[in-house]
Amino acid sequence: MNAPHPQKVAGIDAAVPAPAHTAAPAATGTAPVPAPHPPGALLQDRLAGWVSDLTTLHELTERLARTDNLNDALQELLRAGAALVGARRGLVVLEPADERGPDTTIGLGLGRADLGHIETVPRSATSFGRILDGLPGGDHEITEPDLFAGDGLDPRHREVAARLGYAASYALPLSADAGGRLGAAVWLYDEPAEPVERQRHLIGLYARYAAEHLARLLEVERTRACMATIAEELLPSRLPRVAGVQLAARHRTGPRGGGDWYDALPLPDAALGLAVGAVTGSGPSAVAAMGRLRASLRAYAVMEGEDPVAVLSDLELLLRLTEPARSATALFAYCEPALRKITLAGAGHCPPLLVGQRRTEFAETSVSAPLGMLACWEAPSVELQADPGETVLLYTDGLLHRTGDPVDRAFARLHAAAAGVPRSLRHDPDALVDHVLRTVLPDGLDAVDSEEDVVLLAARFE
């Protein structure tokens, strides 16, 4: 009769059941003669085993398919593989053969320090190193059922294995049809052991599917990183130094890249131009449109920056003629630091916030539709007078949308966050924008993937 099948894995727990391949204790005395099987019982047992294996494999691949980022997929691969081969711990090393990254190592049941210890072992002495470096025997599974049985184990590997308490390992290459080798996965056993043939078959099927899924997520991750890099490169690499004013900015973009932007540029007569804006849409087209719009505004600001209405009027005409299917919001402020005077105009944009020792209030700005949505633009500019030590905070509506609150509540939350900035931090615009960002978007909401970009630009007048 076949060996009993392991319990079907309906959900993966951190504590994996004991390996099914562990040998049963030797029987003492005379073993009883088993009763003969009824006709067809052996076939039924085999069919039941196959159905159980296929059901388990189906559930595990479904769980993997639901992962939508690389880190979660690698963690799920380790958990599912541990259940299939009967191991308790493992690690996966992602190191694509095309050398385009990202390279990472993730462990299951292994802390950061444990992974550090393993990385001190010479790569050629580890199973994943032989796979990744294409050494002999590294093009297929590598089974090490008893690491301490012989004398051929690298001394450093022997020391690390003894310290971490593993005595056997089973490794598989992760290779996709299109992307080639992606990395290697290794599962570690506390006692001398190795997966049986049925377990090897199941983990082999699962690993082939997992590699294709990882290859797709890897391309998504690379695209996200590329879009984020392009978006950041289109924004100021550094903020200018202008006498009488201190500047700070924060920018958070979504995984597809968005159209929110900011700018700060020195202007003639010791003036300073500040701008924030947002282009509709997301992805490469929105990022490209954002770059064109920001570059155009810089040109208009140099020529006629003392008149913000003229700057935005020119920008409105440009957008309407060159990209009639797109709209955008923008706010441009002409600042005279020596006088602490700000002249600004906005097109469909959120009003700036004045933050000082004695007041925290939204500036009263003229109401205007977004750029690209007007036949003519006549909203006048407004003038603000900042007191010494006050900060003008410009932002995009993505900050409000990421809260998930209605607009009026989001504005109230922003006002409360600015009003609650400790007095000891108000002299530092960097500390001020960090406090506002963490307060308006707590619990990591400012860093999570979102379709909404966030821009904060602060100018503190001395």
Side-chain angles (χ1 to χ4, degrees):
M1 187 173 183
N2 283 356
H5 296 280
Q7 184 179 3
K8 186 178 72 173
V9 182
I12 304 300
D13 295 324
V16 178
H21 59 265
T22 303
T28 58
T30 303
V33 179
H37 292 291
L42 184 60
L43 178 60
Q44 290 178 2
D45 182 70
R46 287 182 177 177
L47 288 175
W50 292 339
V51 170
S52 176
D53 289 344
L54 291 175
T55 302
T56 298
L57 198 60
H58 174 71
E59 291 174 352
L60 292 177
T61 53
E62 274 197 333
R63 290 188 59 162
L64 182 66
R66 287 196 292 269
T67 58
D68 58 1
N69 65 76
L70 202 54
N71 186 72
D72 289 349
L74 293 174
Q75 291 284 3
E76 181 60 33
L77 164 66
L78 281 175
R79 287 192 293 265
L84 289 174
V85 302
R88 188 173 66 88
R89 292 178 292 174
L91 68 151
V92 58
V93 182
L94 189 69
E95 195 174 294
D98 58 11
E99 299 183 354
R100 294 169 53 200
D103 296 348
T104 186
T105 301
I106 293 178
L108 172 70
L110 297 170
R112 188 179 300 273
D114 299 333
L115 294 175
H117 286 308
I118 293 175
E119 289 176 351
T120 64
V121 179
R123 278 173 66 103
S124 60
T126 63
S127 53
F128 65 84
R130 295 199 293 275
I131 291 173
L132 296 175
D133 295 338
L135 298 178
D139 55 347
H140 51 77
E141 63 179 5
I142 298 178
T143 304
E144 296 176 308
D146 191 346
L147 290 170
F148 303 105
D151 298 329
L153 187 65
D154 181 86
R156 179 56 185 167
H157 195 179
R158 180 182 299 274
E159 178 184 346
V160 170
R163 173 179 293 186
L164 300 184
Y166 64 88
S169 68
Y170 178 72
L172 277 179
L174 299 173
S175 300
D177 292 338
R181 193 203 67 230
L182 304 177
V186 185
W187 289 276
L188 306 174
Y189 298 93
D190 297 342
E191 303 291 340
E194 63 178 308
V196 298
E197 182 180 354
R198 180 181 59 82
Q199 292 173 314
R200 293 182 182 184
H201 179 65
L202 288 177
I203 190 61
L205 293 174
Y206 181 82
R208 283 196 290 273
Y209 174 84
E212 298 299 331
H213 184 65
L214 290 174
R216 291 189 291 269
L217 292 180
L218 185 64
E219 287 305 314
V220 172
E221 191 75 18
R222 288 172 172 174
T223 302
R224 288 179 176 179
C226 182
M227 290 303 304
T229 301
I230 292 174
E232 292 297 332
E233 289 296 323
L234 290 174
L235 296 174
S237 58
R238 66 183 65 181
L239 295 172
R241 293 186 177 182
V242 179
V245 65
Q246 295 175 284
L247 300 174
R250 297 293 182 270
H251 178 236
R252 303 288 187 269
T253 188
R256 298 181 57 197
D260 287 20
W261 55 275
Y262 68 93
D263 206 350
L265 66 156
L267 296 175
D269 302 322
L272 174 69
L274 299 177
V276 292
V279 176
T280 55
S282 61
S285 63
V287 173
M290 176 264 285
R292 292 191 294 268
L293 202 66
R294 173 177 170 263
S296 301
L297 184 139
R298 290 176 70 90
Y300 297 145
V302 170
M303 292 186 294
E304 48 193 5
E306 68 279 358
D307 185 359
V309 170
V311 172
L312 293 188
S313 296
D314 291 342
L315 205 60
E316 151 74 20
L317 179 61
L318 176 73
L319 189 66
R320 185 152 40 90
L321 293 178
T322 60
E323 300 189 60
R326 193 182 297 278
S327 63
T329 66
L331 185 146
F332 177 73
Y334 179 80
C335 305
E336 300 172 81
L339 304 175
R340 296 188 300 278
K341 179 182 175 183
I342 305 122
T343 306
L344 61 88
H349 206 80
C350 305
L353 190 60
L354 278 169
V355 183
Q357 298 290 352
R358 298 183 179 180
R359 63 172 175 171
T360 301
E361 60 186 30
F362 291 103
E364 294 291 338
T365 57
S366 302
V367 177
S368 170
L371 301 173
M373 300 180 67
L374 293 170
C376 61
W377 194 63
E378 299 177 352
S381 61
V382 297
E383 291 187 359
L384 305 177
Q385 186 66 46
D387 294 333
E390 285 193 326
T391 299
V392 177
L393 186 64
L394 310 181
Y395 54 95
T396 58
D397 58 2
L399 177 66
L400 308 176
H401 294 325
R402 277 208 189 193
T403 64
D405 292 337
V407 175
D408 54 344
R409 287 190 180 181
F411 273 115
R413 178 183 288 194
L414 173 59
H415 184 277
V421 176
R423 292 184 180 275
S424 60
L425 301 181
R426 297 196 176 198
H427 68 281
D428 183 359
D430 276 296
L432 186 146
V433 294
D434 283 337
H435 182 276
V436 170
L437 196 58
R438 289 194 305 265
T439 306
V440 176
L441 300 174
D443 303 324
L445 280 177
D446 65 314
V448 299
D449 287 348
S450 172
E451 295 299 323
E452 299 290 345
D453 284 11
V454 174
V455 163
L456 281 171
L457 177 62
R460 180 183 182 273
F461 292 88
E462 299 175 353

